[in-house]
């Protein structure tokens, strides 16, 4: 059966969108997850993927056209399926509202139109990546209840981690409110609500990871009973029902809240053989909440000497805070120098950084070229440029401009390796490494060779700010052909970077150092800076890399040549 796809709301302020590019044409086969089109919003151009499989039967908004949110965008269904009623949906709606006819055929047409309208409403919700569907028993969701699933926030995302919940169960939620911060494989992004109501249930806790389309949260009228909804929820009409546990196995809600987090700790204690006492007898397992265990370790309290006041004798926080050792020195002693570790869960970003850098390091045969630059003229040129009102550039901006112009003269450096062929990019997109709390992001300056110093400086500042404030989009970090990494602001004089695949090279920039140098046969105080180029030998030969570095050196040591 054909599915109607409407213009989605891709940002909280979006009221209309423009189709920049269609990546599928009428008659093409579409799979779930395929990118249908690139849509320009009020904030960025974003890829829009399909949540259905079938044949693209109709395109409602052509390339370059702008339409309001919820306007008919496309229809996907079976090949050669009749979709005339869906395309002419408005006239069908009028038929539904007309006076009754005696003919049974008119009644049938009305029923068909009503079914089509219901399908359109379902499609609108699915376009926002949050589906409300039937339970396994065949019953409808409670009225007004909406189930929100883990969204796919990038084209390569298969799972996400909830970094922070900005709402808690019982809070009121308005459409456009930020529900949570979600870590993808590329960045930590804010996820907003497309519904209004009360946050009835959180399906994925902070720090937990789950696949795309896993139940994230439930929103609906205050006081609605959604118990059992997560287990019985169907995704895309296919039952994902979990086998119900017997009544004897079902823990109470209070047990779940307190005992679930403790399972990890308890499993660690019981996964191997139980610890033994001095006489060889097995010790009994200690039931303790994670917080109580941490407090006990900090205070040096032996948990076996604490009586738990929780259910089934579980030791809780208050037991540790109110613990007083028995007379006779029963308190445990923690000697100085005890070995311990703090485990910090790897974020999705950190996992992706590790994976990609390891792939680059172990697949690309790298070599390194270092030159020392005379920065006296660059310093004078920067002071002169920054003397102009409203213009401020950095040395890093000058390096980016020099690299962009040098890539135009040495296109082999602006390349990518594939097993079949070396791809030499005709365009120049320079990635700029930016350190953030979670790791490293690389915003991309598109067509950097065509930018002025001030344009480069302004865009680097804007993208770096977005990266640090978690506002940057995946599209703003894609497509680099060369990368610049600068640690000079930390006082690092020289270092080497790992190539940012699929680039063939990355330039590492150190700090400017004052030192004695020889000029015109005289020893004088000069300013120098070391830069190191890491090259993939599969695409860049040593002589090619050396010539590129000579050109970069010429531009930076004589900045006036970059204006020619």
């Amino acid at each position: 059966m054909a599915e109607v796809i409407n213009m989605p709301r891709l940002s909280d302020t979006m009221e209309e969108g423009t189709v920049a590019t269609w990546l599928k044409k009428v008659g093409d086969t579409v799979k779930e997850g395929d990118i249908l089109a690139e849509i320009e919003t009020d904030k960025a151009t974003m890829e829009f993927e399909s949540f259905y499989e079938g044949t693209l039967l109709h395109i409602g908004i052509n390339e370059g056209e702008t339409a309001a949110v919820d306007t008919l965008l496309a229809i996907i269904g079976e090949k050669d399926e009749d979709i005339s009623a869906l395309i002419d949906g408005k006239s069908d709606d009028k038929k539904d509202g007309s006076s009754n006819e005696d003919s049974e055929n008119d009644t049938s047409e009305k029923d068909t139109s009503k079914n089509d309208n219901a399908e359109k409403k379902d499609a609108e919700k699915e376009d926002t990546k949050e589906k409300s569907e039937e339970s396994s028993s065949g019953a409808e969701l409670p009225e007004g209840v909406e189930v929100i699933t883990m969204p796919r926030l990038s084209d390569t995302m298969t799972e996400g981690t909830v970094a922070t919940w900005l709402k808690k169960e019982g809070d009121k939620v308005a459409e456009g409110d930020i529900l949570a911060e979600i870590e993808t494989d590329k960045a930590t992004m804010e996820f907003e609500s497309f519904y209004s109501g009360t946050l009835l249930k959180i399906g994925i806790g902070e720090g937990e990871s789950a696949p795309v389309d896993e139940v994230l949260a439930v929103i609906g009228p205050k006081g609605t009973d959604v118990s059992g909804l997560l287990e019985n929820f169907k995704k895309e009409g296919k039952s994902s029902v979990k086998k119900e546990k017997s009544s004897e196995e079902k823990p109470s809600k209070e047990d779940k809240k307190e005992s679930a987090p403790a399972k990890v700790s308890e499993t660690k204690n019981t996964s191997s053989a139980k610890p033994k006492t001095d006489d060889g007898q097995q010790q009994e397992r200690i039931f303790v909440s994670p917080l109580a265990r941490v407090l006990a370790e900090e205070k040096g309290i032996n948990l076996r000497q604490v009586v738990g006041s929780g259910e089934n004798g579980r030791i809780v926080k208050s037991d540790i805070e109110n613990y007083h050792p028995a007379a006779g020195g029963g308190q445990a002693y923690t000697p100085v120098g005890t070995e311990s570790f703090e485990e910090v869960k790897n974020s999705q970003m950190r996992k992706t950084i590790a994976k990609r850098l390891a792939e680059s390091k172990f697949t690309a045969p790298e070599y390194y070229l270092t030159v020392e630059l005379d920065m006296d003229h660059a310093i004078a040129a920067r002071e002169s440029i920054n003397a102009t009102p409203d213009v401020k550039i950095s040395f890093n901006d000058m390096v980016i401009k020099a690299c962009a112009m040098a890539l135009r003269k040495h296109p082999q450096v602006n390349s990518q390796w594939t097993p079949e062929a070396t791809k030499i990019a005709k365009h120049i997109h320079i990635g700029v490494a930016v350190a953030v709390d979670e790791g490293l992001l690389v915003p991309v300056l598109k067509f950097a060779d065509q930018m002025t110093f001030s344009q480069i400086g302004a865009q680097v500042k804007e993208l770096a700010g977005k990266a640090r404030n978690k506002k940057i989009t995946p599209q703003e970090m894609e497509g680099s052909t060369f990368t610049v990494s600068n640690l000079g602001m930390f006082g690092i004089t020289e270092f080497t970077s790992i190539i940012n695949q699929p680039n063939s090279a990355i330039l590492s920039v150190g700090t400017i150092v004052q030192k004695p140098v020889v000029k015109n046969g005289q020893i004088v105080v000069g300013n120098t800076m070391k830069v190191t180029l890491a090259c993939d030998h599969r695409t860049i030969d040593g002589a090619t890399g050396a010539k590129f570095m000579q050109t970069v050196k010429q531009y930076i040591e004589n900045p006036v040549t970059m204006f020619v």
Side-chain angles (χ1 to χ4, degrees):
M1 182 175 291
E3 301 288 354
V4 174
I5 300 174
N6 292 332
M7 174 66 75
R9 179 179 281 112
L10 297 175
S11 75
D12 55 336
T13 58
M14 176 179 172
E15 296 181 355
E16 63 180 14
T18 301
V19 177
T21 308
W22 275 104
L23 302 180
K24 298 286 185 179
K25 61 181 182 295
V26 173
D28 283 357
T29 299
V30 178
K31 295 181 180 179
E32 181 180 355
D34 282 357
I35 304 301
L36 288 178
E38 293 180 349
I39 296 178
E40 296 178 4
T41 73
D42 57 335
K43 294 183 178 179
T45 299
M46 305 178 70
E47 293 179 338
F48 178 64
E49 68 181 45
S50 174
F51 290 89
Y52 305 106
E53 294 188 354
T55 300
L56 182 56
L57 303 175
H58 176 73
I59 288 178
I61 305 172
N62 295 321
E63 288 187 358
E65 292 184 352
T66 301
V69 169
D70 292 336
T71 302
L72 174 62
L73 178 65
I75 299 177
I76 292 176
E78 297 179 1
K79 188 175 181 180
D80 299 328
E81 183 176 353
D82 181 11
I83 57 171
S84 56
L86 295 178
I87 296 176
D88 196 23
K90 290 186 178 180
S91 62
D92 287 345
D93 291 343
K94 292 179 181 178
K95 290 180 182 179
D96 289 340
S98 63
S99 60
N100 293 331
E101 301 289 341
D102 295 332
S103 170
E104 292 181 357
N105 292 335
D106 290 341
T107 303
S108 177
E109 289 177 3
K110 290 179 182 181
D111 292 340
T112 302
S113 179
K114 288 179 181 178
N115 289 336
D116 291 340
N117 292 336
E119 291 166 13
K120 288 171 68 177
K121 290 180 180 179
D122 290 340
E124 291 172 7
K125 291 182 179 179
E126 291 175 339
D127 282 340
T128 61
K129 300 183 181 180
E130 299 155 354
K131 307 177 184 70
S132 297
E133 305 178 38
E134 296 177 350
S135 67
S136 61
S137 63
E140 298 290 339
L141 291 174
E143 184 177 357
V145 171
E146 303 289 352
V147 176
I148 300 173
T149 58
M150 174 65 75
R152 181 181 280 115
L153 297 175
S154 76
D155 54 337
T156 58
M157 177 180 172
T158 57
E159 67 173 11
T161 300
V162 177
T164 308
W165 275 102
L166 302 180
K167 298 286 186 179
K168 61 180 183 294
E169 291 185 4
D171 282 358
K172 290 184 178 180
V173 178
E175 181 178 354
D177 283 356
I178 304 301
L179 287 178
E181 293 180 349
I182 296 178
E183 295 178 3
T184 72
D185 57 336
K186 294 182 177 179
T188 299
M189 305 177 69
E190 294 179 338
F191 178 64
E192 68 180 45
S193 173
F194 289 87
Y195 303 106
S196 297
T198 299
L199 183 54
L200 302 174
K201 184 68 176 178
I202 289 177
I204 305 171
E206 287 189 358
E208 294 181 357
S209 300
V212 169
D213 291 337
E214 191 78 11
V215 177
L216 179 66
V218 180
I219 290 178
K222 185 176 181 181
T224 305
D225 182 12
V226 293
S227 59
L229 180 62
L230 301 187
E231 290 77 8
N232 296 328
F233 181 69
K234 282 185 177 180
K235 298 189 177 82
E236 301 174 2
K238 298 178 182 178
S239 176
S240 60
V241 182
K242 298 179 180 178
K243 292 183 180 179
E244 294 186 359
K245 297 181 180 180
S246 63
S247 58
E248 295 81 11
E249 295 176 340
K250 288 186 178 179
S252 66
K253 293 182 179 178
E254 293 181 357
D255 288 341
K256 287 182 180 179
K257 290 181 179 178
E258 185 170 1
S259 64
K263 286 181 180 178
V264 176
S265 300
E266 293 171 9
T267 303
K268 290 180 180 179
N269 290 338
T270 59
S271 58
S272 57
K274 291 182 180 179
K276 297 182 178 181
T277 58
D278 294 338
D279 59 3
Q281 297 297 317
Q282 289 186 339
Q283 298 178 353
E284 291 299 322
R285 186 171 67 179
I286 301 176
F287 291 90
V288 56
S289 72
L291 179 57
R293 184 182 295 278
V294 171
L295 290 175
E297 290 176 356
E298 291 177 351
K299 295 185 176 184
I301 297 175
N302 186 345
L303 290 173
R304 296 197 173 277
Q305 298 176 355
V306 180
V307 177
S309 61
E311 187 173 357
N312 297 322
R314 180 180 298 278
I315 300 173
V316 295
K317 175 184 175 183
S318 59
D319 298 326
I320 301 300
E321 292 176 337
N322 299 326
Y323 173 73
H324 297 287
Q331 185 174 4
Y333 169 68
T334 303
V336 175
T338 298
E339 295 180 352
S340 63
F341 294 91
E342 177 187 2
E343 291 190 7
V344 179
K345 187 175 181 180
N346 292 328
S347 65
Q348 293 297 111
M349 184 187 300
R350 178 55 60 187
K351 291 177 184 177
T352 303
I353 290 172
K355 178 182 177 182
R356 291 181 179 171
L357 291 183
E359 288 174 351
S360 177
K361 188 67 177 178
F362 300 133
T363 58
E366 296 178 346
Y367 67 92
Y368 307 97
L369 302 171
T370 301
V371 295
E372 190 168 17
L373 308 177
D374 182 349
M375 296 298 291
D376 285 347
H377 289 163
I379 292 172
R382 177 174 176 264
E383 289 177 352
S384 178
I385 293 172
N386 286 348
T388 304
D390 302 324
V391 176
K392 297 295 179 208
I393 69 168
S394 67
F395 292 112
N396 197 54
D397 302 333
M398 300 176 75
V399 171
I400 292 171
K401 178 66 174 178
C403 289
M405 296 182 66
L407 288 171
R408 184 61 65 202
K409 289 189 175 183
H410 306 279
Q412 190 71 27
V413 180
N414 199 45
S415 62
Q416 300 176 4
W417 169 265
T418 69
E420 293 77 23
T422 297
K423 297 169 64 176
I424 299 176
K426 301 282 188 179
H427 56 281
I428 295 174
H429 293 350
I430 294 189
V432 182
V434 175
V436 296
D437 292 340
E438 296 84 359
L440 187 70
L441 297 179
V442 186
V444 179
L445 301 182
K446 304 292 177 68
F447 306 105
D449 57 317
Q450 301 175 26
M451 294 182 179
T452 64
F453 285 132
S454 58
Q455 288 172 337
I456 290 174
Q459 192 160 357
V460 168
K461 185 177 181 180
E462 178 186 358
L463 291 174
K466 284 185 176 182
R468 296 189 179 100
N469 294 325
K470 303 178 181 179
K471 301 292 185 182
I472 196 165
T473 65
Q475 290 76 16
E476 291 172 317
M477 297 184 289
E478 294 174 350
S480 67
T481 60
F482 184 87
T483 307
V484 173
S485 179
N486 191 337
L487 294 178
M489 66 287 294
F490 298 107
I492 303 300
T493 57
E494 182 181 0
F495 69 103
T496 57
S497 302
I498 298 175
I499 295 173
N500 180 30
Q501 295 284 348
N503 298 173
S504 289
I506 182 171
L507 188 73
S508 306
V509 183
T511 191
I512 297 176
V513 176
Q514 274 197 339
K515 57 185 288 188
V517 297
V518 177
K519 290 186 178 182
N520 300 322
Q522 300 292 323
I523 297 177
V524 297
V525 176
N527 297 277
T528 66
M529 181 176 76
K530 289 185 179 181
V531 293
T532 300
L533 184 71
C535 301
D536 185 341
H537 217 320
R538 296 175 298 181
T539 51
I540 305 174
D541 292 330
T544 302
K547 291 176 182 177
F548 173 81
M549 291 295 274
Q550 281 183 335
T551 303
V552 170
K553 178 179 173 71
Q554 174 189 346
Y555 281 138
I556 295 179
E557 290 187 342
N558 301 280
V560 68
T561 59
M562 287 189 274
F563 294 95
V564 177

